[in-house]
Amino acid sequence: MQKEHIRQKLTLLAKNKIIAETLKICNSIYFILFYALFTLLSSIFGLEIYLYLFTAFLILFVCLFAEDTKILFVPAFFIIFCAAFHHAPEAKPVVNYYLTLPFIISTIIAGCIGGAGIVFRLFVYPTRANVWKDKFPFKSGLLLIAVAFLCNGLFSREYTVKNLLYAFELIIALIAIFILFYQTIDWKKEYVNYLMHIFIVLVGVLILQFIFTLFLKERFGQFIGFAMKPGIVNWGIKKYDCYFGWGSANSFAGVLTMLLPAFYYFAYTKKYGYWFYMASFIVILAIVLSQGRASILISSLFALTAMVFFSIKKTPYRKFYWIFHAILIVFAGLIIIFLFDKIKVILEEIFHRGTSLSGRLGIWIGGLKNFWHYPIFGSGFYAPLDITDSSIIYDKATTGLTPYFYHNIFIEIIARFGLIGIVAFGIHFYELARQLVKTKNVQNTTFFCILLMILLCSLGDIFFFNLYFTFFYAIILLAWTKNSQYTTINTRIIEAEEKMIQV
């Protein structure tokens, strides 16, 4: 009764004009743009503390008054990218900003405020969904993956308490985030478009950050007293100088590749979707210039597939796509002819290591050896690599709880979790494929493509087990789950209504 009384009071408060208008704004595209601008400014001027505190109060506000927590998708996707350029380890002088007392205190306060709001929402507000009782397509795989995380390296000689701590980090990023949104979101059809708008705006923020690191970072660094190298010099883009406060150029390319399907979703579903289609080639260009080779390969193949699809699919704009593709090819040819020397500089930078695997093959072999030593539970996150090739330079040092990686998702699974991991992820991937076949619609296909981008890019890099990619993966998986449930329920309602009409 006490919970019911609290909910009734909050429901009445939510009808207050100021609170109602604030919720209306938070549910609009304008709030996405506002939070995106805040994120961009934070990455340039170092406003992380202020964004964290704002986000904490936003979480509390939403958890107290909103119908569901859909608004929290915005900070969930953006907040990681607020880290400032000059707070990255590459900036000189090195100041570990994230270990300073003001940042730690502010983060703890923000965490307590936001955490209190989430706990209140979970235990006071009733939910239609129950992750423990409901049947949904990815449940078995996720539970087994959680078990594999917890058992990583069990009984191996290199097992330490850090194995368990990093496992909990992954479980929070993948399982706990999935459960949180599953319990607190009452899915509606328009939420798919809401997510896609977030992705499009996020791409805009990342491209602006990329432009900043190419052209403005050095001068801005001089202005605020930090030495930051320019990302571009005489048409040569220096990949390792194109760092962000939140990650490397490879991570930048991986995020853009992951978000690319959102452009094709709007290209297919919007009345004037060709604008999004044309914008997708700007994203492809940014991925190429970032020099993340795995992302370049995956995004280019996906873009070529989209070109074929939109060229043959019978839509009102098919002729437009034919003309656009022809212009694009001619324009690309003219650029190659007249700017060949400049393009050659960029290509040489991309392939300055040739087409080799950059030592990855030796790392993969080392991972297979670790699996051979500990086949049941794997060797865990912190087992040293058995690399005999002296030409491979591989930094085995770790930063905090972050382990060294094998740069291939399958080697990661085999080496870290052994047979337990193979079974867990095998079931999960089977569930992905089965659900794709079972619910054929453009929304679920788009979610599948986003997950596929993360997994494919993880064949040559460390995306899936990099915590923020794991975090993204969880939310996309949640959206696919919720949308599948929504589609199934509404299909049954329509079928039941049709039967009643026939009777």
Side-chain angles (χ1 to χ4, degrees):
M1 290 296 293
Q2 189 176 3
K3 289 182 180 180
E4 183 64 30
H5 180 70
I6 293 171
R7 290 196 300 269
Q8 288 176 355
K9 288 285 186 182
L10 290 173
T11 302
L12 287 174
L13 278 173
K15 294 179 181 178
N16 176 274
K17 186 176 181 181
I18 295 175
I19 294 176
E21 285 298 317
T22 304
L23 284 171
K24 185 178 179 181
I25 293 169
C26 289
N27 275 292
S28 69
I29 186 68
Y30 300 108
F31 179 72
I32 298 175
L33 294 172
F34 165 77
Y35 201 95
L37 178 61
F38 202 161
T39 302
L40 180 62
L41 293 175
S42 174
S43 69
I44 296 173
F45 297 105
L47 307 177
E48 294 100 323
I49 288 175
Y50 305 101
L51 185 60
Y52 289 170
L53 290 171
F54 171 79
T55 303
F57 284 107
L58 173 69
I59 293 171
L60 183 62
F61 178 78
V62 169
C63 289
L64 289 177
F65 301 114
E67 288 184 10
D68 66 21
T69 58
K70 179 256 298 188
I71 296 168
L72 300 185
F73 279 145
V74 179
F77 281 100
F78 276 96
I79 198 166
I80 293 163
F81 305 104
C82 75
F85 292 89
H86 54 281
H87 293 158
E90 292 84 354
K92 308 296 182 185
V94 177
V95 178
N96 203 332
Y97 172 77
Y98 302 109
L99 291 180
T100 59
L101 192 61
F103 181 83
I104 292 173
I105 293 173
S106 301
T107 303
I108 291 172
I109 293 171
C112 290
I113 294 170
I118 290 170
V119 171
F120 178 86
R121 185 78 188 201
L122 286 172
F123 291 99
V124 175
Y125 272 72
T127 60
R128 295 182 184 180
N130 188 316
V131 74
W132 310 111
K133 295 180 180 179
D134 293 354
K135 292 182 179 179
F136 54 88
F138 311 114
K139 190 172 186 177
S140 299
L142 285 175
L143 288 174
L144 288 171
I145 287 173
V147 172
F149 286 164
L150 290 172
C151 294
N152 83 90
L154 205 61
F155 305 121
S156 71
R157 286 179 299 177
E158 292 81 14
Y159 190 85
T160 68
V161 69
K162 287 171 63 177
N163 287 59
L164 195 59
L165 291 174
Y166 196 74
F168 278 122
E169 284 195 13
L170 285 172
I171 287 172
I172 290 170
L174 181 62
I175 313 297
I177 293 302
F178 183 96
I179 292 172
L180 168 64
F181 281 111
Y182 188 92
Q183 294 287 107
T184 59
I185 285 187
D186 186 14
W187 191 265
K188 297 178 178 63
K189 184 180 179 180
E190 60 269 21
Y191 285 11
V192 177
N193 279 3
Y194 184 78
L195 268 177
M196 297 302 160
H197 281 121
I198 291 173
F199 298 161
I200 298 293
V201 176
L202 177 56
V203 168
V205 170
L206 295 179
I207 289 178
L208 288 174
Q209 286 183 343
F210 187 52
I211 292 171
F212 181 86
T213 195
L214 288 179
F215 301 105
L216 303 173
K217 185 176 63 177
E218 182 187 29
R219 289 185 179 180
F220 183 78
Q222 292 172 351
F223 178 73
I224 62 174
F226 283 86
M228 295 190 284
K229 296 179 181 179
I232 186 167
V233 179
N234 296 326
W235 286 81
I237 296 176
K238 304 299 180 182
K239 178 178 179 178
Y240 297 106
D241 291 332
C242 288
Y243 59 83
F244 304 82
W246 52 268
S248 64
N250 276 357
S251 297
F252 166 82
V255 176
L256 290 192
T257 303
M258 176 192 81
L259 299 176
L260 189 60
F263 288 83
Y264 299 126
Y265 171 79
F266 278 144
Y268 186 75
T269 59
K270 291 278 189 181
K271 184 177 181 180
Y272 300 107
Y274 50 79
W275 289 107
F276 293 96
Y277 182 77
M278 290 189 290
S280 71
F281 288 91
I282 299 175
V283 182
I284 296 291
L285 177 61
I287 293 170
V288 172
L289 294 179
S290 71
Q291 303 168 38
R293 292 186 293 176
S295 298
I296 291 172
L297 177 61
I298 301 303
S299 62
S300 298
L301 290 174
F302 192 68
L304 287 172
T305 304
M307 288 176 70
V308 172
F309 174 82
F310 284 102
S311 294
I312 64 176
K313 183 69 176 179
K314 291 184 179 180
T315 66
Y317 304 111
R318 185 165 64 162
K319 288 185 179 179
F320 168 82
Y321 289 125
W322 290 348
I323 295 169
F324 175 72
H325 292 155
I327 294 173
L328 191 69
I329 293 169
V330 171
F331 185 68
L334 291 173
I335 289 177
I336 291 171
I337 292 170
F338 292 104
L339 295 175
F340 179 75
D341 291 339
K342 306 296 185 184
I343 294 172
K344 186 179 177 182
V345 173
I346 296 174
L347 291 176
E348 285 175 351
E349 185 68 26
I350 293 176
F351 297 108
H352 74 284
R353 291 166 293 176
T355 55
S356 71
L357 294 171
S358 302
R360 283 174 171 79
L361 183 59
I363 297 167
W364 297 345
I365 292 172
L368 292 175
K369 288 179 180 179
N370 281 344
F371 166 70
W372 181 256
H373 295 319
Y374 304 102
I376 305 300
F377 297 107
S379 57
F381 289 110
Y382 302 96
L385 284 173
D386 181 8
I387 300 178
T388 55
D389 187 350
S390 60
S391 66
I392 297 172
I393 301 173
Y394 190 62
D395 184 9
K396 295 182 181 180
T398 60
T399 304
L401 284 177
T402 305
Y404 31 82
F405 294 98
Y406 295 107
H407 292 263
N408 180 284
I409 185 170
F410 293 117
I411 303 298
E412 300 277 355
I413 293 168
I414 292 168
R416 298 195 192 285
F417 314 117
L419 293 174
I420 299 296
I422 293 171
V423 171
F425 279 90
I427 290 173
H428 175 64
F429 294 148
Y430 166 74
E431 288 176 341
L432 290 179
R434 184 183 64 179
Q435 189 62 17
L436 177 66
V437 173
K438 190 176 179 181
T439 56
K440 294 179 180 178
N441 60 54
V442 66
Q443 294 90 356
N444 290 344
T445 302
T446 303
F447 291 137
F448 171 79
C449 288
I450 293 173
L451 297 181
L452 185 64
M453 295 298 102
I454 297 175
L455 295 173
L456 289 177
C457 287
S458 299
L459 292 174
D461 224 307
I462 59 175
F463 296 138
F464 184 85
F465 292 100
N466 193 326
L467 288 174
Y468 53 84
F469 281 97
T470 311
F471 184 86
F472 292 162
Y473 191 93
I475 300 179
I476 301 301
L477 197 64
L478 175 279
W480 187 0
T481 301
K482 286 286 189 179
N483 193 65
S484 296
Q485 291 174 336
Y486 177 87
T487 304
T488 302
I489 291 170
N490 282 273
T491 301
R492 288 172 181 170
I493 292 172
I494 292 169
E495 290 175 350
E497 289 175 347
E498 289 176 347
K499 287 181 181 179
M500 289 177 67
I501 292 170
Q502 290 172 2
V503 172

